[in-house]
Amino acid sequence: MANPHEVNRPFEILIVEDNMGDVYLMRLGFETVSVRVHLTVVEDGDSAIRYLLNGKDEAAHPRPDLILLDLNLPKKSGFEVLAAIRDHPETALVPVLVLSSSEAPKDIRRAYELRANGFIHKPASVEDLKKIITGLETFWLTVVMLPSR
């Protein structure tokens, strides 16, 4: 059976992460998925908001199908980025998964209060990261009907 989400463009995934080691590992993990993905990385909260809300050129700033958002970012926190995403009509429906080293209940609760679609604790090993990316592929890239597709 053909993938119901198949289109001529890859899945656009925006990674908002300031730790380039984590970004490197995510890039490696996404190389193993069977669907086409295009990863864009921004390294701080200000850049994420500018990318999402001020990018009028769709070719230069494609609307993401999914956002992976760290909470501990320079300039603006992940919470501030999430609030800005949800407050803007053009990005309000884009799925956002918080990918954080925090396991604090107050952080998890706050992320969901700001309407995150999920909260994932950053894994301690490459193998665990691969499992998470496999889960992202299985659920978010092949099963769920995304609003931007």
Side-chain angles (χ1 to χ4, degrees), residues 4-34:
H5 303 296
E6 237 174 57
V7 292
N8 291 331
R9 67 174 179 83
F11 279 89
E12 293 291 337
I13 299 175
L14 177 65
I15 299 172
V16 185
E17 173 62 66
D18 63 322
N19 182 322
M20 288 302 105
D22 287 346
V23 170
Y24 174 76
L25 293 176
M26 283 189 257
R27 285 188 185 281
L28 286 178
F30 276 108
E31 287 177 0
T32 67
V33 300
S34 61

Side-chain angles (χ1 to χ4, degrees), residues 59-96:
H61 292 91
R63 174 74 20 86
D65 296 303
L66 182 66
I67 299 170
L68 300 178
L69 176 65
D70 186 21
L71 291 181
N72 300 313
L73 297 168
K75 300 185 182 178
K76 290 200 186 295
S77 74
F79 294 124
E80 291 171 294
V81 174
L82 184 54
I85 290 168
R86 293 302 184 232
D87 286 344
H88 197 280
E90 290 183 26
T91 57
L93 298 179
V94 176
V96 178

Side-chain angles (χ1 to χ4, degrees), residues 87-122:
D87 286 344
H88 197 280
E90 290 183 26
T91 57
L93 298 179
V94 176
V96 178
L97 298 177
V98 172
L99 190 60
S100 177
S101 58
S102 175
E103 292 182 281
K106 67 178 180 55
D107 289 342
I108 297 167
R109 185 173 30 262
R110 182 73 181 131
Y112 283 115
E113 287 170 352
L114 291 168
R115 301 187 321 257
N117 297 90
F119 193 105
I120 301 168
H121 181 257
K122 283 184 184 177

